[in-house]
Amino acid sequence: VDQILSYEVDAVLSLTEVPPAEARLLAQHDVELLLYNHSSAAYPVDLVSCDHRAAGRALGRRLLELGHRSFAFIEGPQMSVLAADRARGVMDMLEEAGIGRKDVPVAIGDFGYQSGRDG
């Protein structure tokens, strides 16, 4: 935060968790804080987030519209809420089309190219 403040910025867009003490320090210096892809925070802050579950549903719907009926899925890291929401959306759409979760092999990746190849 000290380094950020040294640049005399007006605002900070953070893609990672900002501890409450650091958020308070930014506020004390009149620096606006915006959290990206967070659904909540332990302090008052503006949040901007994508609807990852809806995005997963849209992906599943598109693949079904293209005529695909056999699927395998490379899911993101198990600790990623975003990856879980995306996976849930895809799987929900497939289930609605009569494709059960047990019929979709799942590999776990880390959003990297190598884990995609491995999956």
Side-chain angles (χ1 to χ4, degrees), residues 24-108:
R24 281 191 300 275
L25 185 58
L26 290 170
Q28 289 170 358
H29 287 87
D30 294 320
V31 175
E32 296 292 325
L33 175 61
L34 176 70
L35 298 182
Y36 176 72
N37 268 341
H38 290 266
S39 58
S40 64
Y43 43 84
V45 65
D46 290 322
L47 305 166
V48 174
S49 184
C50 302
D51 186 338
H52 294 279
R53 190 167 187 175
R57 289 182 60 82
L59 173 61
R61 181 181 307 107
R62 181 66 179 135
L63 293 171
L64 290 163
E65 288 170 351
L66 290 171
H68 298 285
R69 294 295 179 266
S70 179
F71 295 89
F73 194 82
I74 303 172
E75 190 172 341
Q78 294 296 287
M79 298 300 293
S80 170
V81 173
L82 307 178
D85 283 348
R86 291 174 189 153
R88 197 170 308 119
V90 170
M91 294 301 193
D92 287 350
M93 184 55 63
L94 296 182
E95 281 187 329
E96 288 175 22
I99 300 168
R101 292 177 191 265
K102 65 180 181 332
D103 298 321
V104 180
V106 176
I108 304 302

